[in-house]
Amino acid sequence: MKKQERRRKWNEAGKDVVVLHIFDRGYTCPSLSPFVIKLETYLRMVDIPYQIDHEEPMGAKGKSPWITLNGEDMADSQLIMEHLGPKYNKDLSSDLTAQEKVVAHSLQIMIDEYFLWCLIVWRYVQERGRPLTNNMYLPMGSHFLISMFVKKVTEATRLQGIGRHSFEEVEGMGRKCLQSLSTWLGQKPFLMGDKPTEVDCSAFGMLAQIMWCSQNSSYLKMLETDFKNLYDYCQRMKERFYPDWDK
């Protein structure tokens, strides 16, 4: 009955209004998931109306975020963006050349599929999930579940391969990703030039985890010292698309 009631509420959001299903907000940033920030940034960037739902953060694929739109569900932030773009006639990369689109796609893969694992190793293996517990509200008794989740993630990093390296080696891999991103950004306001595009959603989603959810991490120190343009880029994205961030 509760599921039916939630479904009724989602369906009543309004025609073409996205219902964004996510976990509770973080203390210092909108979400402890880079993919939630990625997708929410996209919705704000292209001005698609949306509502937030915290009651059912995990979708049918066992992933968060996911959306409900006009009674239909969809999961995976990238697939959602690729679906919403044509539906709402929003193509932020339309002015890019074919070569620039290749670069943007490569950057997105480096961020979402490669650097992600470097951050996972730091957050869940090296720090044993403490950044999660320190930066968002968790119900009483959930620490046991967190420890189980940390164990599961640690096993996943070994299966993926990155968990077989030392922390120093993984940090070196992460530094190369940030260095590549910093070099490409240069003095441009956004990754692909004067206007933000879809790849900026991926970059900001991931970098926000460093900036506001990874206190005392080596990656944060890199942004503050070695890759200052990425630090400034995060502040620029936050000010432009999240005037309500502190709320």
Side-chain angles (χ1 to χ4, degrees):
M1 291 178 64
K2 287 183 178 179
K3 283 199 169 192
Q4 290 176 354
E5 176 62 20
R6 289 198 292 267
R7 176 65 64 180
R8 184 188 63 78
K9 287 167 51 180
W10 304 337
N11 292 341
E12 292 179 351
K15 180 174 171 48
D16 293 337
V17 175
V18 171
V19 179
L20 178 60
H21 306 279
I22 62 176
F23 286 101
D24 289 339
R25 296 296 195 183
Y27 292 143
T28 53
C29 70
S31 177
L32 271 292
S33 165
F35 300 108
V36 168
I37 296 184
K38 169 185 175 178
L39 181 54
E40 188 167 9
T41 301
Y42 175 77
L43 294 172
R44 291 171 176 235
M45 194 178 285
V46 297
D47 198 26
I48 292 176
Y50 72 97
Q51 296 181 4
I52 296 294
D53 168 62
H54 295 300
E55 292 185 286
E56 200 164 327
M58 301 293 283
K61 292 184 178 180
K63 300 177 70 174
S64 184
W66 62 288
I67 68 167
T68 299
L69 177 61
N70 298 330
E72 296 184 6
D73 301 336
M74 177 170 286
D76 187 275
S77 59
Q78 187 63 32
L79 293 179
I80 292 170
M81 289 167 56
E82 292 174 5
H83 172 76
L84 295 179
K87 177 174 178 59
Y88 290 86
N89 195 27
K90 305 286 187 178
D91 185 359
L92 301 174
S93 301
S94 59
D95 293 334
L96 302 183
T97 66
Q99 289 80 8
E100 287 173 332
K101 289 180 180 179
V102 170
V103 171
H105 178 69
S106 299
L107 290 173
Q108 181 249 314
I109 294 299
M110 180 185 73
I111 296 163
D112 288 350
E113 307 293 342
Y114 190 87
F115 183 75
L116 169 69
W117 285 100
C118 299
L119 185 64
I120 284 174
V121 167
W122 179 81
R123 179 182 283 183
Y124 296 109
V125 183
Q126 191 170 348
E127 291 295 312
R128 309 299 297 171
R130 282 188 292 271
L132 189 68
T133 57
N134 291 339
N135 287 285
M136 70 177 293
Y137 169 76
L138 294 170
M140 290 292 293
S142 62
H143 291 281
F144 173 74
L145 295 177
I146 291 296
S147 65
M148 294 295 292
F149 179 70
V150 165
K151 181 179 179 181
K152 184 177 180 180
V153 171
T154 301
E155 293 173 353
T157 64
R158 291 191 62 79
L159 286 173
Q160 193 271 349
I162 197 168
R164 300 175 187 273
H165 303 302
S166 68
F167 294 147
E168 291 77 14
E169 290 170 330
V170 174
E171 182 181 311
M173 296 173 187
R175 170 180 280 276
K176 288 180 181 178
C177 290
L178 295 178
Q179 185 173 31
S180 297
L181 201 62
S182 173
T183 300
W184 176 258
L185 176 64
Q187 298 305 311
K188 300 190 297 293
F190 303 103
L191 285 173
M192 303 310 297
D194 294 333
K195 298 179 181 179
T197 61
E198 290 86 352
V199 69
D200 289 292
C201 301
S202 289
F204 182 62
M206 197 66 66
L207 293 175
Q209 302 304 307
I210 301 174
M211 283 282 291
W212 291 286
C213 308
S214 303
Q215 298 88 339
N216 301 318
S217 76
S218 57
Y219 296 125
L220 178 57
K221 292 172 185 172
M222 291 177 197
L223 296 191
E224 292 173 336
T225 57
D226 301 331
F227 311 122
K228 190 64 166 54
N229 64 337
L230 293 181
Y231 184 96
D232 295 338
Y233 167 82
C234 286
Q235 298 288 4
R236 190 159 53 248
M237 289 286 292
K238 174 188 172 186
E239 291 172 7
R240 177 159 179 170
F241 297 109
Y242 288 89
D244 56 342
W245 182 286
D246 294 331
K247 296 180 182 180

